[in-house]
mmCIF file with all atom_site columns, all heavy atoms in Angstrom:
data_model
loop_
_atom_site.group_PDB
_atom_site.id
_atom_site.type_symbol
_atom_site.label_atom_id
_atom_site.label_alt_id
_atom_site.label_comp_id
_atom_site.label_asym_id
_atom_site.label_entity_id
_atom_site.label_seq_id
_atom_site.pdbx_PDB_ins_code
_atom_site.Cartn_x
_atom_site.Cartn_y
_atom_site.Cartn_z
_atom_site.occupancy
_atom_site.B_iso_or_equiv
_atom_site.pdbx_formal_charge
_atom_site.auth_seq_id
_atom_site.auth_comp_id
_atom_site.auth_asym_id
_atom_site.auth_atom_id
_atom_site.pdbx_PDB_model_num
ATOM 1  N N   . THR A 1 80 ? 4.081  34.521 4.709  1.00 0.00 ? 916 THR A N   1
ATOM 2  C CA  . THR A 1 80 ? 3.187  33.910 5.687  1.00 0.00 ? 916 THR A CA  1
ATOM 3  C C   . THR A 1 80 ? 2.517  34.952 6.581  1.00 0.00 ? 916 THR A C   1
ATOM 4  O O   . THR A 1 80 ? 3.094  36.007 6.894  1.00 0.00 ? 916 THR A O   1
ATOM 5  C CB  . THR A 1 80 ? 3.934  32.897 6.563  1.00 0.00 ? 916 THR A CB  1
ATOM 6  O OG1 . THR A 1 80 ? 5.082  33.529 7.135  1.00 0.00 ? 916 THR A OG1 1
ATOM 7  C CG2 . THR A 1 80 ? 4.360  31.684 5.749  1.00 0.00 ? 916 THR A CG2 1
ATOM 8  N N   . GLN A 1 81 ? 1.292  34.609 6.975  1.00 0.00 ? 917 GLN A N   1
ATOM 9  C CA  . GLN A 1 81 ? 0.496  35.471 7.841  1.00 0.00 ? 917 GLN A CA  1
ATOM 10 C C   . GLN A 1 81 ? 0.023  34.662 9.041  1.00 0.00 ? 917 GLN A C   1
ATOM 11 O O   . GLN A 1 81 ? -0.032 33.429 8.965  1.00 0.00 ? 917 GLN A O   1
ATOM 12 C CB  . GLN A 1 81 ? -0.703 36.011 7.047  1.00 0.00 ? 917 GLN A CB  1
ATOM 13 C CG  . GLN A 1 81 ? -0.302 36.805 5.817  1.00 0.00 ? 917 GLN A CG  1
ATOM 14 C CD  . GLN A 1 81 ? -1.461 37.097 4.886  1.00 0.00 ? 917 GLN A CD  1
ATOM 15 O OE1 . GLN A 1 81 ? -2.613 36.771 5.169  1.00 0.00 ? 917 GLN A OE1 1
ATOM 16 N NE2 . GLN A 1 81 ? -1.161 37.740 3.754  1.00 0.00 ? 917 GLN A NE2 1
ATOM 17 N N   . PRO A 1 82 ? -0.315 35.313 10.147 1.00 0.00 ? 918 PRO A N   1
ATOM 18 C CA  . PRO A 1 82 ? -0.750 34.562 11.342 1.00 0.00 ? 918 PRO A CA  1
ATOM 19 C C   . PRO A 1 82 ? -1.898 33.595 11.053 1.00 0.00 ? 918 PRO A C   1
ATOM 20 O O   . PRO A 1 82 ? -1.943 32.508 11.638 1.00 0.00 ? 918 PRO A O   1
ATOM 21 C CB  . PRO A 1 82 ? -1.169 35.676 12.313 1.00 0.00 ? 918 PRO A CB  1
ATOM 22 C CG  . PRO A 1 82 ? -0.308 36.837 11.929 1.00 0.00 ? 918 PRO A CG  1
ATOM 23 C CD  . PRO A 1 82 ? -0.179 36.754 10.430 1.00 0.00 ? 918 PRO A CD  1
ATOM 24 N N   . GLU A 1 83 ? -2.777 33.944 10.138 1.00 0.00 ? 919 GLU A N   1
ATOM 25 C CA  . GLU A 1 83 ? -3.910 33.049 9.826  1.00 0.00 ? 919 GLU A CA  1
ATOM 26 C C   . GLU A 1 83 ? -3.484 31.799 9.055  1.00 0.00 ? 919 GLU A C   1
ATOM 27 O O   . GLU A 1 83 ? -4.290 30.896 8.835  1.00 0.00 ? 919 GLU A O   1
ATOM 28 C CB  . GLU A 1 83 ? -4.996 33.793 9.049  1.00 0.00 ? 919 GLU A CB  1
ATOM 29 C CG  . GLU A 1 83 ? -4.509 34.532 7.837  1.00 0.00 ? 919 GLU A CG  1
ATOM 30 C CD  . GLU A 1 83 ? -4.217 35.992 8.125  1.00 0.00 ? 919 GLU A CD  1
ATOM 31 O OE1 . GLU A 1 83 ? -3.707 36.313 9.225  1.00 0.00 ? 919 GLU A OE1 1
ATOM 32 O OE2 . GLU A 1 83 ? -4.493 36.825 7.242  1.00 0.00 ? 919 GLU A OE2 1
ATOM 33 N N   . ASP A 1 84 ? -2.212 31.732 8.667  1.00 0.00 ? 920 ASP A N   1
ATOM 34 C CA  . ASP A 1 84 ? -1.698 30.504 8.053  1.00 0.00 ? 920 ASP A CA  1
ATOM 35 C C   . ASP A 1 84 ? -1.366 29.457 9.114  1.00 0.00 ? 920 ASP A C   1
ATOM 36 O O   . ASP A 1 84 ? -1.116 28.289 8.787  1.00 0.00 ? 920 ASP A O   1
ATOM 37 C CB  . ASP A 1 84 ? -0.432 30.791 7.224  1.00 0.00 ? 920 ASP A CB  1
ATOM 38 C CG  . ASP A 1 84 ? -0.710 31.675 6.026  1.00 0.00 ? 920 ASP A CG  1
ATOM 39 O OD1 . ASP A 1 84 ? -1.833 31.611 5.471  1.00 0.00 ? 920 ASP A OD1 1
ATOM 40 O OD2 . ASP A 1 84 ? 0.191  32.451 5.645  1.00 0.00 ? 920 ASP A OD2 1
ATOM 41 N N   . SER A 1 85 ? -1.359 29.855 10.379 1.00 0.00 ? 921 SER A N   1
ATOM 42 C CA  . SER A 1 85 ? -1.062 28.911 11.460 1.00 0.00 ? 921 SER A CA  1
ATOM 43 C C   . SER A 1 85 ? -2.138 27.822 11.500 1.00 0.00 ? 921 SER A C   1
ATOM 44 O O   . SER A 1 85 ? -3.326 28.120 11.625 1.00 0.00 ? 921 SER A O   1
ATOM 45 C CB  . SER A 1 85 ? -0.997 29.633 12.804 1.00 0.00 ? 921 SER A CB  1
ATOM 46 O OG  . SER A 1 85 ? 0.060  30.560 12.825 1.00 0.00 ? 921 SER A OG  1
ATOM 47 N N   . ALA A 1 86 ? -1.702 26.576 11.371 1.00 0.00 ? 922 ALA A N   1
ATOM 48 C CA  . ALA A 1 86 ? -2.621 25.438 11.302 1.00 0.00 ? 922 ALA A CA  1
ATOM 49 C C   . ALA A 1 86 ? -1.782 24.173 11.160 1.00 0.00 ? 922 ALA A C   1
ATOM 50 O O   . ALA A 1 86 ? -0.553 24.228 11.118 1.00 0.00 ? 922 ALA A O   1
ATOM 51 C CB  . ALA A 1 86 ? -3.561 25.572 10.100 1.00 0.00 ? 922 ALA A CB  1
ATOM 52 N N   . VAL A 1 87 ? -2.463 23.045 11.073 1.00 0.00 ? 923 VAL A N   1
ATOM 53 C CA  . VAL A 1 87 ? -1.791 21.792 10.730 1.00 0.00 ? 923 VAL A CA  1
ATOM 54 C C   . VAL A 1 87 ? -2.061 21.507 9.257  1.00 0.00 ? 923 VAL A C   1
ATOM 55 O O   . VAL A 1 87 ? -3.208 21.588 8.800  1.00 0.00 ? 923 VAL A O   1
ATOM 56 C CB  . VAL A 1 87 ? -2.289 20.621 11.605 1.00 0.00 ? 923 VAL A CB  1
ATOM 57 C CG1 . VAL A 1 87 ? -1.584 19.333 11.196 1.00 0.00 ? 923 VAL A CG1 1
ATOM 58 C CG2 . VAL A 1 87 ? -2.031 20.914 13.084 1.00 0.00 ? 923 VAL A CG2 1
ATOM 59 N N   . TYR A 1 88 ? -1.009 21.189 8.541  1.00 0.00 ? 924 TYR A N   1
ATOM 60 C CA  . TYR A 1 88 ? -1.111 20.913 7.111  1.00 0.00 ? 924 TYR A CA  1
ATOM 61 C C   . TYR A 1 88 ? -0.837 19.428 6.859  1.00 0.00 ? 924 TYR A C   1
ATOM 62 O O   . TYR A 1 88 ? 0.125  18.868 7.391  1.00 0.00 ? 924 TYR A O   1
ATOM 63 C CB  . TYR A 1 88 ? -0.123 21.775 6.328  1.00 0.00 ? 924 TYR A CB  1
ATOM 64 C CG  . TYR A 1 88 ? -0.474 23.239 6.368  1.00 0.00 ? 924 TYR A CG  1
ATOM 65 C CD1 . TYR A 1 88 ? -0.130 24.039 7.461  1.00 0.00 ? 924 TYR A CD1 1
ATOM 66 C CD2 . TYR A 1 88 ? -1.181 23.833 5.322  1.00 0.00 ? 924 TYR A CD2 1
ATOM 67 C CE1 . TYR A 1 88 ? -0.480 25.374 7.512  1.00 0.00 ? 924 TYR A CE1 1
ATOM 68 C CE2 . TYR A 1 88 ? -1.526 25.181 5.358  1.00 0.00 ? 924 TYR A CE2 1
ATOM 69 C CZ  . TYR A 1 88 ? -1.173 25.935 6.465  1.00 0.00 ? 924 TYR A CZ  1
ATOM 70 O OH  . TYR A 1 88 ? -1.526 27.266 6.506  1.00 0.00 ? 924 TYR A OH  1
ATOM 71 N N   . PHE A 1 89 ? -1.689 18.830 6.050  1.00 0.00 ? 925 PHE A N   1
ATOM 72 C CA  . PHE A 1 89 ? -1.544 17.415 5.705  1.00 0.00 ? 925 PHE A CA  1
ATOM 73 C C   . PHE A 1 89 ? -1.364 17.259 4.201  1.00 0.00 ? 925 PHE A C   1
ATOM 74 O O   . PHE A 1 89 ? -2.128 17.842 3.421  1.00 0.00 ? 925 PHE A O   1
ATOM 75 C CB  . PHE A 1 89 ? -2.791 16.620 6.104  1.00 0.00 ? 925 PHE A CB  1
ATOM 76 C CG  . PHE A 1 89 ? -3.038 16.516 7.582  1.00 0.00 ? 925 PHE A CG  1
ATOM 77 C CD1 . PHE A 1 89 ? -3.880 17.404 8.209  1.00 0.00 ? 925 PHE A CD1 1
ATOM 78 C CD2 . PHE A 1 89 ? -2.435 15.507 8.326  1.00 0.00 ? 925 PHE A CD2 1
ATOM 79 C CE1 . PHE A 1 89 ? -4.124 17.309 9.578  1.00 0.00 ? 925 PHE A CE1 1
ATOM 80 C CE2 . PHE A 1 89 ? -2.675 15.406 9.693  1.00 0.00 ? 925 PHE A CE2 1
ATOM 81 C CZ  . PHE A 1 89 ? -3.519 16.314 10.320 1.00 0.00 ? 925 PHE A CZ  1
#
Side-chain angles (χ1 to χ4, degrees):
Chain A
T916 53
Q917 301 168 4
E919 52 265 37
D920 295 329
S921 296
V923 179
Y924 292 81
F925 293 95

